[in-house]
Amino acid sequence: MSDHPSLQDTTAQGEVSPAVAILTTAILATEIPLDEAIELAGTHLLTYPRVDAVATSLVGFTPETPEAWVMLGGRAWVREWVRPGSATSILPDPGAGPEAALSMPWLSQFARRDDLVACIDTDLLPPEAEQDRSELARIGVRSLIATIYSSAGTMFGSLSVGSAGVGAWPTQLIDDLHLLNAAISSRLQLEHSRRALAEAIEAGNEAQLAYQHFFGAVGHELRTPLAAIMGYTEVLMDDASSNPQDPVSAGLLKDGPVILRACEQLVSVVDSLLGAGRTFSDDDQRQDVLVADAVADVVHWHRAPARNAGVTMEVDLDPTLTAWAHPSAVRQVLTNLVGNAIAYHRPAGGTVHLSAVSLLGESGQEMVRIVVRDDGPGLGPDQLDRVFEPFVRFADRTTKGSGLGLSISRTIAERDGGAVQGTSTVGVGSSFWLELPVKPPYGS
């Protein structure tokens, strides 16, 4: 705080009024709406005989009840409480532009730095504060206290009291302002976070709808021409096989399989995208999912490819374990994990083991972890660091896959409040797991 004679020291702390102690408790407990909290703060400050007017502003933040406020300059909202019979008014005239707002460049620097500035007499302001003196004289204010709503480096507005009189301000009034400013700033930060979250959820829903439209277009626009390319390629190869000595036929027999493999790879990408699109749809909601049932379905779906690859699947889990998730999401992620364990196993085959355990997450939340462990070739540290990146594959070209399975699985799991992670050792095998909450988040 400056030691200028026009400014009062606001660092000394006494006792706040009982009314403000009760009010701030209610504000911080979110027992009352934010607009009502600000109004109660303004009307309380007006009970001090020294105060003639109270004004508050919100910057870049629309009030819950905008009809009680005045918009200034298209971005700021202001409101005022004036003592009956007082000629003091901090609020600009109706219809005034942003130039009518108080700027007080000299005093504002102290409010921004110290959170609160108290001027005891505008006549004592230094020459460099002439603009401040002129602005305050225009509205009939000889002394004022100004404080700024701010939290985490973000400014949300201000709270000011003005008086036509001069002299030192009551210590309790300053303490009340300190506490009210802190409580309202905290509520503004909370409300700002809530609104940002709501906007993010809305944007996510719009993005999800766009994804679904995209996936549908992909399925229609790519599947049909791909099927035609593969069909005509197979017909041409059949025709070429009747005369393999012909140079053109020999070229077809050589390059045809390459075309088919490329098409199959693209079809695999399309299938991965369409599968994710179906999982992200609103067809099902989060609910209690019996882990044993989901695992049984996935194991059943993979019996044929496992048998063809010489892989034995083993299941060992508690049949009562549940997860709070989208049923289709659990099955989709497990399908990707089990499919990878089979497809990327050793040529001679081996074992894929599925298990599940209960554990506590980092925040103490109950979680269930479904583990898919194989004794395949394993991945090196560098490979494991990149395995969740889209289109990253470490298998040879003959192994089908899009390189999207793990990336999409992680996204699906995180949507349900979970995670997909893994460990691997070259020559020993890999373990990838799906972790999901057991219960809905508190308050949902």
Side-chain angles (χ1 to χ4, degrees):
M1 170 64 67
S2 170
D3 57 359
H4 194 274
S6 65
L7 302 181
Q8 181 176 340
D9 182 8
T10 61
T11 57
Q13 294 185 354
E15 293 185 1
V16 299
S17 64
V20 164
I22 296 172
L23 177 57
T24 53
T25 300
I27 293 173
L28 293 174
T30 67
E31 296 174 355
I32 54 179
L34 179 59
D35 280 19
E36 183 180 343
I38 295 175
E39 180 173 4
L40 290 173
T43 54
H44 167 76
L45 294 171
L46 203 60
T47 62
Y48 279 87
R50 172 67 184 278
V51 178
D52 290 316
V54 180
T56 188
S57 69
L58 296 177
V59 180
F61 194 99
T62 303
E64 297 166 344
T65 55
E67 61 275 6
W69 297 67
V70 174
M71 178 177 278
L72 188 65
R75 188 168 181 267
W77 294 83
V78 292
R79 190 171 181 186
E80 181 183 54
W81 297 266
V82 179
R83 182 179 302 283
S86 174
T88 300
S89 176
I90 301 176
L91 197 67
D93 294 332
E99 67 281 353
L102 298 179
S103 60
M104 298 187 297
W106 190 80
L107 289 170
S108 295
Q109 63 179 321
F110 300 108
R112 286 192 296 268
R113 188 187 69 189
D114 304 321
D115 293 331
L116 188 147
V117 61
C119 174
I120 61 174
D121 187 350
T122 56
D123 285 349
L124 298 177
L125 290 172
E128 58 266 30
E130 180 56 36
Q131 182 173 339
D132 303 63
R133 184 187 298 104
S134 174
E135 290 180 353
L136 294 172
R138 187 182 73 236
I139 61 175
V141 170
R142 286 287 307 277
S143 60
L144 87 158
I145 309 176
T147 182
I148 292 175
Y149 301 136
S150 64
S151 178
T154 301
M155 175 179 169
F156 297 109
S158 64
L159 178 64
S160 305
V161 299
S163 173
V166 298
W169 290 94
T171 301
Q172 190 174 75
L173 171 59
I174 293 175
D175 291 335
D176 280 0
L177 263 172
H178 270 301
L179 191 57
L180 287 171
N181 171 59
I184 294 174
S185 294
S186 297
R187 279 293 300 276
L188 284 166
Q189 178 63 57
L190 176 62
E191 184 62 24
H192 176 73
S193 299
R194 285 177 174 174
R195 294 185 185 186
L197 177 59
E199 291 173 359
I201 292 174
E202 183 179 354
N205 291 335
E206 293 177 356
Q208 178 176 310
L209 182 60
Y211 291 156
Q212 293 176 35
H213 289 163
F214 169 73
F215 294 144
V218 166
H220 176 73
E221 298 297 335
L222 288 183
R223 275 183 169 274
T224 301
L226 282 173
I229 293 171
M230 295 175 70
Y232 278 115
T233 301
E234 290 172 349
V235 169
L236 290 172
M237 289 177 64
D238 287 341
D239 291 343
S241 63
S242 63
N243 186 17
Q245 304 303 321
D246 180 72
V248 176
S249 297
L252 283 172
L253 293 174
K254 175 185 177 183
D255 296 332
V258 177
I259 297 174
L260 291 176
R261 285 198 300 271
C263 289
E264 289 171 353
Q265 175 69 11
L266 189 52
V267 168
S268 178
V269 172
V270 172
D271 287 342
S272 295
L273 292 175
L274 291 177
R278 288 188 294 270
T279 301
F280 282 126
S281 69
D282 293 327
D283 294 341
D284 64 341
Q285 300 296 321
R286 291 177 73 175
Q287 56 188 269
D288 286 321
V289 179
L290 197 61
V291 172
D293 286 352
V295 170
D297 286 343
V298 173
V299 169
H300 176 72
W301 298 336
H302 287 83
R303 287 195 184 280
R307 184 172 55 252
N308 294 336
V311 172
T312 300
M313 288 190 291
E314 299 176 351
V315 178
D316 179 20
L317 52 84
D318 183 345
T320 65
L321 290 177
T322 61
W324 180 256
H326 293 77
S328 62
V330 178
R331 288 165 171 79
Q332 175 72 33
V333 174
L334 291 179
T335 293
N336 289 334
L337 298 184
V338 173
N340 284 350
I342 294 172
Y344 300 141
H345 217 293
R346 303 176 190 272
T351 302
V352 171
H353 185 268
L354 288 89
S355 61
V357 294
S358 298
L359 68 157
L360 292 179
E362 294 181 356
S363 61
Q365 184 181 16
E366 292 182 67
M367 306 290 286
V368 60
R369 176 181 291 180
I370 310 169
V371 184
V372 179
R373 187 179 74 249
D374 64 66
D375 52 3
L379 299 170
D382 293 340
Q383 292 175 316
L384 189 63
D385 288 342
R386 300 186 54 214
V387 75
F388 288 100
E389 297 177 12
F391 299 108
V392 171
R393 300 178 71 241
F394 300 110
D396 56 56
R397 293 185 177 182
T398 61
T399 302
K400 293 183 179 180
S402 64
L404 287 172
L406 287 177
S407 175
I408 291 176
S409 294
R410 173 169 280 184
T411 301
I412 293 172
E414 290 175 350
R415 179 196 62 165
D416 280 354
V420 171
Q421 295 175 313
T423 59
S424 189
T425 303
V426 174
V428 177
S430 304
S431 291
F432 285 88
W433 60 85
L434 166 64
E435 199 169 288
L436 291 167
V438 173
K439 300 176 182 178
Y442 177 76
S444 64

